[in-house]
Amino acid sequence: MEYKILVVNGPNLGHLGKRQPEIYGSRSMEDVAPMVDNLLQGGGDSAQLTLFQSNSEGGIIDRLETSREDGTHGIVLNAGAYTHTSLALADCLAWIGVPCVEVHLSNVLARSEPLRQKSYIGRHVIGVIAGFGILSYALAVQALVLHFQDKA
Ligand code: DQA
């Protein structure tokens, strides 16, 4: 089966590879699809990725709501700083009913600012993957596919 996975990046995540590479790495979102293919190789299922990025809270919420109706099986979400601030995003994930994995490029639990250790969205996702740079996204897609296989 081919799973439709929506990969959503929030604010300041539109220039990956260029933004503070010492924290977020020097690879771009283009590297995610080949990593996913490698990880899923031989497992019988594949993933069709749709990438979306918005710097605005409303833009992200609009896209997440659309995912309810466009056949999306699962969501990989890096909400950036909205992870730590957005009750609106948490409310959205609480009702849309599309399984979601929260991802971060950096290990937010190891960052110096205590605020980054709080996630508003964490209680509405299946799980969290953080700290592996761009690989975090690919691992999240793999986790979703394995989760679906497990449930089937
Ligand atoms: C981030 C971590 C957030 O704290 C930060 O605001 C980001 C990126 C990450 O991927 O490591 O914008 O979500």
Side-chain angles (χ1 to χ4, degrees):
M1 156 139 194
E2 184 175 63
Y3 290 101
K4 284 185 73 175
I5 308 293
L6 174 66
V7 180
V8 176
N9 269 326
N12 301 303
L13 294 167
H15 300 277
L16 286 185
K18 295 184 186 131
R19 174 191 177 194
Q20 296 168 287
E22 68 285 2
I23 300 174
Y24 299 115
S26 51
R27 306 180 81 161
S28 74
M29 290 303 290
E30 279 174 21
D31 293 337
V32 174
M35 283 178 180
V36 168
D37 290 344
N38 268 339
L39 288 170
L40 296 184
Q41 211 171 19
D45 293 319
S46 61
Q48 183 201 315
L49 306 185
T50 300
L51 304 187
F52 176 81
Q53 193 272 329
S54 174
N55 290 322
S56 82
E57 204 171 14
I60 298 168
I61 291 169
D62 286 346
R63 187 62 189 88
L64 293 177
E65 286 183 346
T66 301
S67 75
R68 295 177 60 237
E69 291 149 2
D70 67 2
T72 297
H73 295 102
I75 297 166
V76 170
L77 173 62
N78 186 349
Y82 288 141
T83 306
H84 319 298
T85 63
S86 179
L87 184 57
L89 208 46
D91 283 352
C92 176
L93 290 171
W95 82 274
I96 58 170
V98 183
C100 179
V101 175
E102 174 183 339
V103 304
H104 300 285
L105 295 142
S106 63
N107 177 359
V108 280
L109 296 179
R111 303 271 303 264
S112 56
E113 307 97 323
L115 237 183
R116 292 193 203 274
Q117 286 156 29
K118 157 103 189 149
S119 171
Y120 276 74
I121 63 177
R123 57 187 301 250
H124 303 296
V125 298
I126 305 173
V128 183
I129 297 177
F132 296 94
I134 284 292
L135 182 59
S136 291
Y137 295 86
L139 290 169
V141 175
Q142 183 190 33
L144 274 173
V145 170
L146 293 176
H147 172 78
F148 295 139
Q149 287 173 346
D150 203 38
K151 295 240 150 202

